[in-house]
Amino acid sequence: MKALLKKYSHAWTLLYVFIYGPWFILLEKHVTTNYNVIHCALDDKIPFCEYFIIPYFLWFLFVPATMIYLFFYSKKEFYQASAFLFIGMTIFLIICTVWPNGINLRQDISYRDNIFADWVCGLRKADTSTNVFPSLHVFNTLGCQIALMKSKGLRDKKFILLKILAGILSILIILSTLFLRQHSVVDVLGAFGLAVIMYISVYIPHWGASKKETK
């Protein structure tokens, strides 16, 4: 048991859920009407497409699957991905706390009679249109995609198809936030900006060490 605890000691980082969960729920309950509306002209040109609900929901498998792989493959890579995601998510919470935000992009889709539209309606009932900047759906997708691309365990050519599929899924997930009108283009750009900051902070300092290890 002691050896098992030592081997998976990095599981302590998962306690972050007890910070993020209550904080986010508190924001969802209190940021309801008085918030800064995020919008840009490009938002109005993006059509609604309920079929993007599929990649949107696949995000709930993609992120955990990536973290589970890293957890068992490499303690170092798991710590890097955790730092990337959890610090970024904390920045998101701080932004939404000091600058309440939301969108008014959702339109009536009751005239669309199909199961995908029904799923979107269900999503909207569970997910409010507030606390959207930067988009965590996009940020976490980028974080996981970066972690997979940099993982030493996937460098072999036999994993190229897996990485290509992961890349395609990541693109579809990001697009889904726009075509489902869950986020503004501004939210997506904000997520990319935050991802750049976290990438520089988490991964670039290790480039030199990584190159030495591969020689």
Side-chain angles (χ1 to χ4, degrees), residues 48 50 107-114 117-118 120-121 124:
F48 172 80
E50 65 267 33
Q107 61 194 75
D108 178 29
I109 60 172
S110 58
Y111 63 93
R112 293 180 181 261
D113 187 19
N114 60 70
D118 292 341
V120 174
C121 290
R124 291 180 175 180

Side-chain angles (χ1 to χ4, degrees), residues 7-134:
K7 183 177 181 180
Y8 298 116
S9 59
H10 48 300
W12 71 268
T13 59
L14 300 178
L15 293 174
Y16 177 71
V17 68
F18 295 107
I19 297 175
Y20 178 81
W23 193 342
F24 182 74
I25 291 173
L26 192 64
L27 286 172
E28 288 285 273
K29 288 184 177 180
H30 290 278
V31 181
T32 55
T33 54
N34 187 23
Y35 56 82
N36 298 281
V37 177
I38 297 177
H39 180 268
C40 70
L42 188 55
D43 293 330
D44 300 325
K45 299 183 182 299
I46 300 174
F48 172 80
C49 180
E50 65 267 33
Y51 302 111
F52 273 95
I53 193 64
I54 297 175
Y56 190 91
F57 278 162
L58 285 177
W59 177 88
F60 294 97
L61 292 177
F62 178 60
V63 173
T66 300
M67 295 305 288
I68 290 172
Y69 156 71
L70 295 173
F71 180 85
F72 288 105
Y73 170 70
S74 167
K75 184 181 293 189
K76 177 184 177 182
E77 291 185 8
F78 179 77
Y79 273 136
Q80 288 178 317
S82 295
F84 188 108
L85 297 182
F86 298 162
I87 294 175
M89 290 163 70
T90 301
I91 293 174
F92 158 80
L93 290 172
I94 293 172
I95 291 175
C96 291
T97 299
V98 300
W99 187 62
N101 58 78
I103 56 171
N104 292 332
L105 297 174
R106 296 180 179 181
Q107 61 194 75
D108 178 29
I109 60 172
S110 58
Y111 63 93
R112 293 180 181 261
D113 187 19
N114 60 70
I115 190 172
F116 303 105
D118 292 341
W119 288 348
V120 174
C121 290
L123 170 65
R124 291 180 175 180
K125 289 179 181 178
D127 185 24
T128 71
S129 59
T130 58
N131 306 308
V132 295
F133 181 87

